[in-house]
Amino acid sequence: MIATVNPAAVPALTVGGILFVIIYLLAGVYVWRYRRQLFGPDDRVDGDKKATRYLQIVVICIPLLILSGRVLFELIGLWIN
C-alpha cells in the first residue's frame, strides 16, 4: 500500500462505503426496472441495431461493477481489521 488508513477515519470510511453500496444497489434496481426504456429499441434512430444497444449496456455496467467490487473489497478489509 502507498499509505495507511488513519484508525480514526475508519468509521467514517465505513459509513461512506455503506452509503455508496446502498446508492449503487438502488441505482441497479432503477436500471433493471427501466431497462427497456433505457436500452430498448428506439424507432426515432436510423440504423438502430441490437449490437449497439448491447455495447451501451457493456460500457455502463463494466466500470460500475469494477468500482463497486473495489469498494466492497475495501469495506470487507476494513471490517476484518
Side-chain angles (χ1 to χ4, degrees), residues 1 24 32 50 52 56 63:
M1 257 177 97
Y24 176 76
W32 182 257
K50 189 174 184 177
T52 306
Q56 289 174 341

mmCIF file of all heavy atoms in Angstrom, residues 1 24 32 50 52 56 63:
data_model
loop_
_atom_site.group_PDB
_atom_site.id
_atom_site.type_symbol
_atom_site.label_atom_id
_atom_site.label_comp_id
_atom_site.label_asym_id
_atom_site.label_seq_id
_atom_site.Cartn_x
_atom_site.Cartn_y
_atom_site.Cartn_z
ATOM 1 N N MET A 1 0.825 -1.179 0.000
ATOM 2 C CA MET A 1 0.000 0.000 0.000
ATOM 3 C C MET A 1 0.873 1.247 0.000
ATOM 4 O O MET A 1 1.942 1.252 0.592
ATOM 5 C CB MET A 1 -0.877 0.013 1.246
ATOM 6 C CG MET A 1 -2.300 -0.380 0.981
ATOM 7 S SD MET A 1 -3.255 -0.431 2.504
ATOM 8 C CE MET A 1 -3.988 1.153 2.435
ATOM 9 N N TYR A 24 -25.674 2.451 -4.868
ATOM 10 C CA TYR A 24 -25.388 1.622 -6.032
ATOM 11 C C TYR A 24 -26.475 0.566 -6.240
ATOM 12 O O TYR A 24 -26.920 0.341 -7.364
ATOM 13 C CB TYR A 24 -24.022 0.954 -5.866
ATOM 14 C CG TYR A 24 -23.687 0.014 -6.972
ATOM 15 C CD1 TYR A 24 -23.277 0.484 -8.213
ATOM 16 C CD2 TYR A 24 -23.795 -1.364 -6.799
ATOM 17 C CE1 TYR A 24 -22.980 -0.389 -9.240
ATOM 18 C CE2 TYR A 24 -23.498 -2.226 -7.816
ATOM 19 C CZ TYR A 24 -23.095 -1.739 -9.034
ATOM 20 O OH TYR A 24 -22.812 -2.600 -10.050
ATOM 21 N N TRP A 32 -32.580 -1.775 -13.709
ATOM 22 C CA TRP A 32 -33.236 -3.033 -14.049
ATOM 23 C C TRP A 32 -34.720 -2.817 -14.343
ATOM 24 O O TRP A 32 -35.269 -3.400 -15.267
ATOM 25 C CB TRP A 32 -33.066 -4.041 -12.925
ATOM 26 C CG TRP A 32 -33.684 -5.357 -13.241
ATOM 27 C CD1 TRP A 32 -34.859 -5.859 -12.774
ATOM 28 C CD2 TRP A 32 -33.171 -6.332 -14.144
ATOM 29 N NE1 TRP A 32 -35.103 -7.083 -13.315
ATOM 30 C CE2 TRP A 32 -34.084 -7.407 -14.157
ATOM 31 C CE3 TRP A 32 -32.041 -6.418 -14.928
ATOM 32 C CZ2 TRP A 32 -33.886 -8.538 -14.926
ATOM 33 C CZ3 TRP A 32 -31.849 -7.549 -15.697
ATOM 34 C CH2 TRP A 32 -32.753 -8.589 -15.690
ATOM 35 N N LYS A 50 -29.235 -4.026 -32.519
ATOM 36 C CA LYS A 50 -29.185 -4.697 -31.232
ATOM 37 C C LYS A 50 -27.762 -4.676 -30.671
ATOM 38 O O LYS A 50 -27.570 -4.530 -29.469
ATOM 39 C CB LYS A 50 -29.671 -6.130 -31.380
ATOM 40 C CG LYS A 50 -29.854 -6.841 -30.086
ATOM 41 C CD LYS A 50 -30.487 -8.214 -30.286
ATOM 42 C CE LYS A 50 -30.756 -8.865 -28.968
ATOM 43 N NZ LYS A 50 -31.430 -10.146 -29.114
ATOM 44 N N THR A 52 -25.538 -2.337 -30.973
ATOM 45 C CA THR A 52 -25.263 -1.018 -30.406
ATOM 46 C C THR A 52 -25.859 -0.911 -29.013
ATOM 47 O O THR A 52 -25.222 -0.385 -28.096
ATOM 48 C CB THR A 52 -25.837 0.078 -31.309
ATOM 49 O OG1 THR A 52 -25.337 -0.098 -32.623
ATOM 50 C CG2 THR A 52 -25.472 1.439 -30.809
ATOM 51 N N GLN A 56 -23.904 -0.370 -25.335
ATOM 52 C CA GLN A 56 -24.270 0.639 -24.349
ATOM 53 C C GLN A 56 -24.330 0.023 -22.951
ATOM 54 O O GLN A 56 -23.834 0.606 -21.979
ATOM 55 C CB GLN A 56 -25.626 1.254 -24.679
ATOM 56 C CG GLN A 56 -25.638 2.159 -25.871
ATOM 57 C CD GLN A 56 -27.048 2.612 -26.219
ATOM 58 O OE1 GLN A 56 -28.035 1.997 -25.808
ATOM 59 N NE2 GLN A 56 -27.144 3.681 -26.982
ATOM 60 N N PRO A 63 -17.619 -0.693 -15.895
ATOM 61 C CA PRO A 63 -16.979 0.194 -14.901
ATOM 62 C C PRO A 63 -17.716 0.224 -13.559
ATOM 63 O O PRO A 63 -17.080 0.284 -12.504
ATOM 64 C CB PRO A 63 -17.026 1.573 -15.566
ATOM 65 C CG PRO A 63 -17.156 1.295 -17.007
ATOM 66 C CD PRO A 63 -17.937 0.030 -17.120
#
